[in-house]
């Protein structure tokens, strides 16, 4: 599964779990700490049972990805060829993706930054890619299990989670001290924390697995222990504190991870505190007209504007669970998520040119933003933007299983 789908994992889970409930547990059987909206999922279930043809492309894509996920892994931090500075391969290790050898230096050190240009070296022998693939496979397998009752899928998802996070022989230590290191500059930095932004989706996948005997009480207890330890590291380590202070999308996704982990380990007080405090971050990131200037300064300004907004949507969904409304929050001078959404959504129009730097503009990225926007704010005016986006992208997007469907039926 691609990174693009992984970064919208929360909405994927929201979209599909209702479909899965048709063949396995009812909403009442599932744990109450879900981030996803179970009532909406039940409505999705009814549409599937009624044979809604509009949802067929999304279901077909899920089946294809499930077949791939069943062949994936297991993945372990021990598999990387690079050794962390600690000497312990249980420690997560990655390299800053936008950092390259300095051509003016014989040894290339220290590396220099080329924003938006991924150095292929950063993908070799590190943990970033395997973590992404593990998360994607677990999410897909958990969803397929709830769709079909296929215990083989649940068993493989549980195995992937145990190998990466729980088994003492193979698991990742609950910290990112060596995330996004830069040769010649640092062995690890706060920016590496963005690489665990898959966790909200993984945690909901775990919740779906809890109706299967493949995911045991011991597994659940161990998962809570790991998540509590990682949450503590995020909040108390120097690296974590620096990421918490980040003003751009890194800060948004830090808050999303802290809030998701807090809900999972039973710290709703901390989740609520985190989301309430995020209102200050919103006021710093979004202008009254909806511009996100810190993201617009990037070489991939459109992509990063959407990426930051996805992080906010995760926070808003979490806020619903703990009594904090971010969807409709606004500052006195008009800064809000909706203003940020309204700034980017019109670029669904293929005739409208994005006026900021963008190495590779792709308006299809709006699908994952506009579909949940319709659910949060209503068909008007966001439905018209769906009309302008690629029909096949909407029909096959797994968010379509909850939020859309109508376009594919027309």
């Amino acid at each position: 599964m691609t990174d693009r789908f992984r970064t919208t994992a929360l909405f994927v889970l929201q979209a599909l779990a209702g479909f899965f409930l048709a063949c396995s547990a009812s909403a009442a059987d599932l744990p109450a700490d879900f981030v996803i909206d179970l009532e909406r999922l039940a409505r999705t279930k009814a549409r599937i049972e009624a044979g809604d043809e509009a949802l067929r492309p999304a279901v077909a894509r899920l089946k294809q990805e499930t077949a791939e996920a069943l062949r994936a892994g297991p993945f372990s931090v021990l598999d990387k060829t690079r050794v962390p500075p600690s000497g312990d391969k249980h420690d997560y290790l990655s390299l800053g993706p936008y950092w390259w050898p300095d051509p003016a230096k014989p040894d290339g050190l220290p590396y220099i930054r080329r924003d938006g240009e991924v150095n292929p070296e950063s993908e070799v022998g590190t943990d970033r890619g395997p973590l992404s693939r593990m998360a994607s496979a677990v999410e897909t397998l958990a969803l397929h299990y709830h769709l079909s009752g296929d215990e083989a899928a649940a068993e493989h998802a549980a195995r992937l989670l145990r190998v990466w996070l729980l088994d003492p022989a193979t698991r990742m230590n609950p910290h990112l001290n060596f995330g996004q290191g830069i040769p010649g500059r640092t062995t690890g930095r706060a920016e590496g924390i963005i690489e665990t932004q898959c966790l909200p989706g993984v945690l909901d996948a775990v919740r779906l697995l809890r109706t299967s005997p493949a995911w045991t009480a011991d597994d659940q207890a161990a998962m809570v222990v790991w998540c509590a330890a990682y949450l503590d590291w995020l909040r108390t380590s120097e690296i974590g504190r620096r990421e918490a202070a980040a003003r751009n999308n890194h800060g948004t996704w830090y808050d999303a991870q802290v809030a998701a982990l807090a809900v999972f380990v039973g710290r709703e007080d901390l989740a609520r505190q985190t989301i309430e405090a995020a209102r200050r971050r919103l006021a710093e990131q979004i202008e009254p007209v909806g511009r996100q200037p810190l993201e617009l300064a990037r070489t991939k300004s459109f992509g990063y504007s959407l990426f930051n907004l996805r992080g906010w949507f995760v926070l808003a969904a979490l806020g619903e669970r703990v009594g904090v409304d971010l969807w409709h929050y606004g500052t006195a001078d008009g800064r809000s998520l909706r203003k940020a959404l309204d700034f980017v959504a019109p670029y669904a129009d293929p005739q409208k040119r994005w006026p900021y730097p963008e190495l590779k503009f792709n308006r299809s990225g709006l699908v994952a933003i506009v579909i949940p926007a319709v659910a949060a704010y209503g068909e008007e005016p966001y439905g018209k933007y769906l009309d302008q986006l690629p029909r096949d992208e909407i029909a096959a997007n797994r968010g379509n299983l909850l939020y859309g469907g109508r376009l594919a039926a027309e």
Side-chain angles (χ1 to χ4, degrees), residues 189-391:
R189 58 198 184 112
E191 288 85 348
I193 291 173
I194 200 74
E195 295 181 7
T196 50
Q197 50 93 8
C198 59
L199 283 177
V202 169
L203 295 179
D204 266 351
V206 170
R207 292 176 173 105
L208 292 175
L209 291 173
R210 285 172 63 179
T211 59
S212 168
W215 186 252
T216 69
D218 287 344
D219 291 329
Q220 182 64 21
M223 189 73 181
V224 170
V225 168
W226 191 94
C227 288
Y230 188 56
L231 175 61
D232 182 66
W233 179 84
L234 285 174
R235 299 182 66 226
T236 62
S237 67
E238 180 182 352
I239 286 178
R241 289 194 297 268
R242 288 204 304 265
E243 189 74 342
R247 298 178 61 231
N248 65 352
N249 66 81
H250 280 264
T252 306
W253 280 103
Y254 173 89
D255 284 349
Q257 291 185 58
V258 167
L261 288 162
V263 169
F264 187 80
V265 304
R267 291 288 312 276
E268 287 199 359
D269 58 330
L270 175 58
R272 186 177 302 107
Q273 172 188 332
T274 300
I275 298 168
E276 287 175 343
R279 290 169 172 169
R280 183 185 69 254
R281 194 187 299 283
L282 183 151
E284 296 172 346
Q285 288 187 359
I286 301 171
E287 294 180 344
V289 296
R291 283 171 29 104
Q292 301 175 60
L294 295 173
E295 310 309 329
L296 294 180
R298 304 295 296 274
T299 60
K300 296 179 178 179
S301 61
F302 186 69
Y304 273 109
S305 292
L306 298 185
F307 180 61
N308 191 43
L309 198 50
R310 288 200 297 270
W312 278 111
F313 281 14
V314 171
L315 274 170
L318 286 160
E320 290 183 59
R321 306 297 167 259
V322 297
V324 182
D325 185 1
L326 284 183
W327 293 113
H328 301 96
Y329 170 76
T331 64
D333 62 351
R335 303 165 192 260
S336 67
L337 294 188
R338 191 161 185 179
K339 283 291 185 66
L341 170 66
D342 289 344
F343 186 83
V344 296
Y347 293 93
D349 182 351
Q351 303 303 315
K352 192 172 179 64
R353 183 174 180 180
W354 179 251
Y356 302 95
E358 180 57 56
L359 292 178
K360 189 176 181 180
F361 181 81
N362 181 8
R363 66 191 181 96
S364 294
L366 277 168
V367 172
I369 294 296
V370 178
I371 288 179
V374 171
Y377 299 115
E379 179 75 16
E380 184 61 38
Y382 301 105
K384 69 180 181 183
Y385 298 125
L386 284 178
D387 291 330
Q388 297 172 320
L389 289 166
R391 189 176 299 270

Side-chain angles (χ1 to χ4, degrees), residues 33-315:
D33 59 350
F34 258 78
V35 174
I36 56 181
D37 186 336
L38 294 180
E39 291 183 5
R40 195 177 296 277
L41 303 181
R43 292 196 291 272
T44 300
K45 169 186 172 180
R47 290 181 60 193
I48 296 294
E49 290 179 334
D52 192 331
E53 289 292 322
L55 305 179
R56 190 175 298 277
V59 174
R61 175 176 286 182
L62 172 64
K63 290 180 179 179
Q64 177 184 348
E65 292 178 350
T66 296
E68 296 170 0
L70 285 167
R71 297 190 296 268
F75 308 95
S76 168
V77 288
L78 299 186
D79 295 337
K80 59 179 172 286
T81 55
R82 297 176 186 266
V83 179
S86 63
D88 184 356
K89 276 199 167 185
H90 289 274
D91 291 340
Y92 183 95
L93 172 72
S94 67
L95 299 177
Y98 300 154
W99 292 82
W100 295 72
D102 185 345
K105 305 290 179 61
D107 59 1
L109 301 176
Y111 277 24
I112 59 175
R113 189 167 183 263
R114 290 160 51 178
D115 187 37
E117 300 179 42
V118 176
N119 181 353
E121 179 187 359
S122 68
E123 305 292 339
V124 179
T126 67
D127 290 316
R128 181 182 180 182
L131 171 61
S132 174
R133 292 190 288 275
M134 183 278 295
S136 294
V138 165
E139 291 157 13
T140 295
L141 291 164
L143 299 178
H144 174 73
Y145 158 68
H146 277 275
L147 165 64
S148 64
D150 181 0
E151 286 294 338
E155 289 168 6
H156 192 52
R159 183 186 182 202
L160 295 178
L161 288 165
R162 291 187 195 109
V163 172
W164 190 273
L165 295 171
L166 307 182
D167 186 341
T170 58
R171 70 186 176 193
M172 168 188 164
N173 289 330
H175 67 76
L176 258 64
N177 289 332
F178 308 114
Q180 290 206 7
I182 304 170
R185 294 182 182 270
T186 182
T187 58
R189 58 198 184 112
E191 288 85 348
I193 291 173
I194 200 74
E195 295 181 7
T196 50
Q197 50 93 8
C198 59
L199 283 177
V202 169
L203 295 179
D204 266 351
V206 170
R207 292 176 173 105
L208 292 175
L209 291 173
R210 285 172 63 179
T211 59
S212 168
W215 186 252
T216 69
D218 287 344
D219 291 329
Q220 182 64 21
M223 189 73 181
V224 170
V225 168
W226 191 94
C227 288
Y230 188 56
L231 175 61
D232 182 66
W233 179 84
L234 285 174
R235 299 182 66 226
T236 62
S237 67
E238 180 182 352
I239 286 178
R241 289 194 297 268
R242 288 204 304 265
E243 189 74 342
R247 298 178 61 231
N248 65 352
N249 66 81
H250 280 264
T252 306
W253 280 103
Y254 173 89
D255 284 349
Q257 291 185 58
V258 167
L261 288 162
V263 169
F264 187 80
V265 304
R267 291 288 312 276
E268 287 199 359
D269 58 330
L270 175 58
R272 186 177 302 107
Q273 172 188 332
T274 300
I275 298 168
E276 287 175 343
R279 290 169 172 169
R280 183 185 69 254
R281 194 187 299 283
L282 183 151
E284 296 172 346
Q285 288 187 359
I286 301 171
E287 294 180 344
V289 296
R291 283 171 29 104
Q292 301 175 60
L294 295 173
E295 310 309 329
L296 294 180
R298 304 295 296 274
T299 60
K300 296 179 178 179
S301 61
F302 186 69
Y304 273 109
S305 292
L306 298 185
F307 180 61
N308 191 43
L309 198 50
R310 288 200 297 270
W312 278 111
F313 281 14
V314 171
L315 274 170

